[in-house]
């Protein structure tokens, strides 16, 4: 199926861009008229994926983060967050709840939050090359004109 | 991201305003911790009711403050959570910790009877 709309953004791995990414995706997704809760789920999942790229992919340097969002006629929204950072050795271990390499301030819940708030999460990673997180969420289509 | 403090005789309330993510969490953590230590606070209340957004960085902040208060022989209470925030705290396994606001405990008690 072809998307009815698509947007791509590239931004630096500065932490100020965490809120920028949330706002940008939310503004674009508004075309599917998501409910308040669906939008909050989406914003939280984007925040997790983008924060991971900022914190873990480029721990000592600034790098580019590539964000792609596609909207589909059936209400599906796909979000891809890609980095060219250090990658993940063992993806299934990294996705276990509470697993973190991040120390005191991190809870190791990012992937669990993405999985719980989105319908599908796929992670592909090559150590030394980078990581791509692809997420899908179905927005319930509401009858036009109803609030 | 802002934090407002309200000190009582027996407790310190820190109200968080705005969006709590990794970008803002570091500075907020430092501010809260310095007030806790300055005021020899024994009971910290984190009020999340005016928070418009929180991700797992907020869970990290809560877990870290819980550990700090524990090491000081004190306690932490979290109030004003949305269902989404509660869901994230449960994922972290924090539902067993004594940090939930009293009202909820009383409700839980009622349904047990
Ligand atoms: N884009 C990435 N590049 C490299 N490593 C990553 C990336 N995303 C996640 N990881 C690895 O996977 C682990 C788990 O990520 P997850 O988001 O679940 O938890 P966290 O980021 O450590 O903590 P939290 O998200 O709760 O603050 C990270 O600690 C890190 O080792
Ligand atoms: Mg994370």
């Amino acid at each position: 199926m072809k998307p009815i709309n698509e947007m791509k953004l590239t931004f630096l791995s500065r932490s100020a861009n965490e809120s920028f990414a949330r706002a940008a995706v939310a503004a674009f997704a508004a075309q599917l008229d998501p409910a308040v809760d669906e939008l909050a789920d989406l914003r939280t999942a984007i925040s997790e994926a983008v924060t991971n790229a900022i914190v873990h992919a480029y721990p000592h340097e600034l790098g580019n983060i590539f964000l792609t969002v596609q909207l589909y006629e059936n209400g599906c929204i796909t979000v891809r967050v890609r980095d060219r950072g250090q990658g993940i050795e063992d993806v299934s271990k990294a996705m276990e709840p509470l697993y973190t390499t991040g120390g005191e301030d991190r809870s190791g819940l990012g992937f669990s939050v993405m999985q719980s708030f989105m319908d599908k999460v796929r992670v592909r990673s090559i150590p030394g090359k980078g990581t791509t997180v692809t997420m899908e969420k179905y927005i319930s289509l509401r009858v036009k004109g109803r609030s | 991201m802002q934090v407002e403090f309200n000190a009582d005789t027996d407790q310190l309330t820190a109200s968080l305003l705005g969006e709590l993510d990794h970008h803002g969490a570091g500075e907020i953590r430092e501010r809260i911790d310095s007030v806790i230590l300055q005021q020899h606070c024994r009971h910290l209340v984190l009020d999340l009711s005016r928070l418009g957004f929180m991700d797992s960085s907020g869970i990290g902040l809560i877990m870290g403050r819980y550990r700090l208060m524990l090491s000081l022989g004190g306690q932490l209470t979290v109030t004003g959570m949305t269902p989404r925030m509660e869901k994230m705290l449960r994922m972290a396994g924090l539902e067993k910790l004594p940090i939930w606001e009293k009202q909820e405990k009383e409700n839980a008690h009622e349904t047990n009877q």
Side-chain angles (χ1 to χ4, degrees):
Chain A
M1 208 181 5
K2 277 184 89 176
I4 50 173
N5 204 353
E6 177 180 280
M7 74 103 157
K8 289 174 191 251
L9 277 176
T10 304
F11 51 88
L12 276 183
S13 59
R14 289 201 184 279
S15 61
N17 287 330
E18 291 157 12
S19 60
F20 166 69
R22 292 196 295 274
V25 174
F28 188 66
Q31 295 171 23
L32 287 180
D33 194 21
V36 174
D37 273 340
E38 291 169 333
L39 206 55
D41 287 349
L42 202 58
R43 279 161 45 83
T44 312
I46 306 300
S47 199
E48 298 296 348
V50 169
T51 300
N52 278 354
I54 291 169
V55 173
H56 304 297
Y58 304 113
H60 310 298
E61 75 275 24
L62 284 174
N64 280 320
I65 297 173
F66 306 91
L67 176 67
T68 305
V69 184
Q70 295 173 323
L71 309 179
Y72 291 85
E73 202 157 8
N74 63 355
C76 184
I77 172 164
T78 69
V79 180
R80 201 170 70 213
V81 179
R82 185 166 67 85
D83 65 66
R84 289 207 196 107
Q86 63 176 29
I88 304 173
E89 287 288 345
D90 185 340
V91 170
S92 49
K93 191 169 175 191
M95 292 180 80
E96 282 171 17
L98 304 180
Y99 176 84
T100 181
T101 57
E104 268 281 295
D105 290 340
R106 312 249 62 88
S107 60
L109 279 182
F111 281 129
S112 306
V113 167
M114 290 181 237
Q115 284 172 320
S116 146
F117 291 165
M118 301 291 278
D119 293 317
K120 208 176 194 176
V121 179
R122 205 174 61 234
V123 181
R124 286 173 45 197
S125 190
I126 304 174
K129 292 254 163 148
T131 302
T132 304
V133 176
T134 309
M135 305 184 278
E136 273 179 36
K137 187 175 183 68
Y138 283 89
I139 304 298
S140 55
L141 295 172
R142 291 180 290 172
V143 181
K144 279 234 166 66
R146 257 203 285 163
S147 62
Chain B
M1 177 85 249
Q2 278 178 54
V3 55
E4 276 176 21
F5 293 102
N6 215 313
D8 242 326
T9 40
D10 56 344
Q11 68 182 42
L12 172 74
T13 302
S15 301
L16 304 183
L17 288 86
E19 308 206 334
L20 176 53
D21 60 12
H22 155 258
H23 178 67
E27 192 195 325
I28 292 297
R29 182 197 62 225
E30 281 169 24
R31 292 195 55 198
I32 293 175
D33 288 1
S34 76
V35 176
I36 290 173
L37 296 174
Q38 255 167 37
Q39 311 209 343
H40 305 289
C41 162
R42 284 286 163 274
H43 184 186
L44 173 69
V45 179
L46 275 180
D47 175 16
L48 309 183
S49 64
R50 288 187 285 168
L51 213 48
F53 175 85
M54 186 183 103
D55 63 17
S56 68
S57 300
I59 306 296
L61 183 88
I62 293 170
M63 287 168 77
R65 284 344 89 214
Y66 173 74
R67 283 194 290 263
L68 175 65
M69 292 312 292
L70 207 64
S71 74
L72 295 171
Q75 59 164 319
L76 167 72
T77 307
V78 185
T79 66
M81 281 184 284
T82 64
R84 183 170 286 93
M85 292 171 187
E86 285 187 17
K87 193 171 169 184
M88 285 192 272
L89 271 182
R90 291 217 170 78
M91 282 181 205
L94 298 189
E95 76 270 20
K96 293 170 218 101
L97 298 185
I99 61 171
W100 304 81
E101 62 186 310
K102 268 207 213 74
Q103 200 192 331
E104 183 168 327
K105 270 192 211 144
E106 278 158 18
N107 288 344
H109 195 65
E110 268 168 29
T111 50
N112 282 340
Q113 283 174 342

